[in-house]
Amino acid sequence: DAGVTQSPTHLIKTRGQQVTLRCSPKSGHDTVSWYQQALGQGPQFIFQYYEEEERQRGNFPDRFSGHQFPNYSSELNVNALLLGDSALYLCASSLPGQNNSPLHFGNGTRLTVT
Amino acid sequence: KNEVEQSPQNLTAQEGEFITINCSYSVGISALHWLQQHPGGGIVSLFMLSSGKKKHGRLIATINIQEKHSSLHITASHPRDSAVYICAVRSDKLIFGTGTRLQVFP
């Protein structure tokens, strides 16, 4: 049973470019959340997807957008990249409609913006 | 002031020592999570608590809802316990502490 998988593992982009990160949830999970973790900091909530819709959003600009597909996998898109977007991007999935279920994280995508 | 505060930020210990990491929060919560993050970045869920105490192997987690405080204890620490330990609380969203970096030396 595969856990949460993220791709790519590492990515280098230039300021102003756009990036797409991908996440496949753990089998049986339908809710996907995305987090940004800057170096030395705790993760910050970006948004959560459930039933192919954005259900909740953290304090991130509109340059951060996402999508969830019918198979529950999800994408995080960041436009007009800034140096400050360099971070580890984590995806977590959870059981259907259960916010208070154990958390399952992927290994993250490390994005470097130069 | 952060809504979730952890202490200490950094912790070093000798193998075998008893370790305590603390987490205080200022918001109403429905659950608290303790997470372990290794240098590669992947995060593993250790505990989810809404009251009382949980134990798994050498790890013990407690929570006091009235005092808005939780502790993670590691008994008989081992070098493989070296990692960043993160406290996260569920309010309207998941809010994370900045983590406690633990290094256990043989």
Side-chain angles (χ1 to χ4, degrees):
Chain A
D1 175 26
V4 180
T5 58
Q6 290 186 244
S7 63
T9 54
H10 295 82
L11 202 51
I12 300 174
K13 289 286 189 177
T14 304
R15 272 179 303 176
Q17 285 188 316
Q18 179 263 345
V19 69
T20 297
L21 311 181
R22 296 177 177 83
C23 171
S24 291
K26 181 178 167 64
S27 177
H29 289 187
D30 66 353
T31 301
V32 173
S33 301
W34 286 93
Y35 301 88
Q36 180 195 64
Q37 186 178 24
L39 201 61
Q41 301 296 314
Q44 299 286 321
F45 174 69
I46 303 175
F47 42 54
Q48 182 184 76
Y49 275 84
Y50 172 64
E51 291 186 339
E52 301 180 49
E53 289 191 18
E54 183 183 295
R55 299 291 176 171
Q56 242 187 324
R57 189 177 182 92
N59 190 23
F60 279 80
D62 292 345
R63 297 186 299 109
F64 289 75
S65 64
H67 189 76
Q68 187 177 34
F69 299 94
N71 67 354
Y72 309 125
S73 67
S74 176
E75 288 182 349
L76 163 65
N77 301 294
V78 187
N79 294 323
L81 284 166
L82 304 174
L83 294 179
D85 295 332
S86 296
L88 179 69
Y89 289 85
L90 293 158
C91 168
S93 71
S94 56
L95 288 167
Q98 291 187 30
N99 260 337
N100 280 344
S101 58
L103 300 171
H104 297 264
F105 285 87
N107 287 330
T109 293
R110 188 163 298 281
L111 173 65
T112 303
V113 182
T114 62
Chain B
K1 189 178 188 299
N2 293 335
E3 292 166 302
V4 180
E5 299 271 2
Q6 285 186 238
S7 63
Q9 284 188 301
N10 295 283
L11 187 54
T12 58
Q14 288 295 127
E15 183 172 357
E17 284 186 9
F18 180 84
I19 288 160
T20 295
I21 300 170
N22 296 299
C23 175
S24 296
Y25 53 93
S26 57
V27 295
I29 71 168
S30 56
L32 182 145
H33 298 263
W34 280 103
L35 310 167
Q36 181 191 55
Q37 186 171 33
H38 282 281
I43 292 179
V44 174
S45 177
L46 299 175
F47 295 103
M48 183 181 69
L49 293 163
S50 54
S51 65
K53 176 180 176 178
K54 285 190 177 179
K55 184 175 191 292
H56 185 254
R58 296 180 294 105
L59 302 178
I60 303 166
T62 64
I63 188 168
N64 185 319
I65 296 293
Q66 287 72 32
E67 295 187 3
K68 294 188 173 181
H69 181 269
S70 175
S71 293
L72 175 68
H73 306 285
I74 305 175
T75 61
S77 59
H78 190 276
R80 65 174 173 265
D81 297 327
S82 299
V84 175
Y85 291 83
I86 302 173
C87 167
V89 301
R90 169 73 67 184
S91 61
D92 61 329
K93 61 182 185 292
L94 205 56
I95 307 169
F96 294 78
T98 55
T100 294
R101 184 173 300 277
L102 171 66
Q103 288 183 290
V104 181
F105 294 98

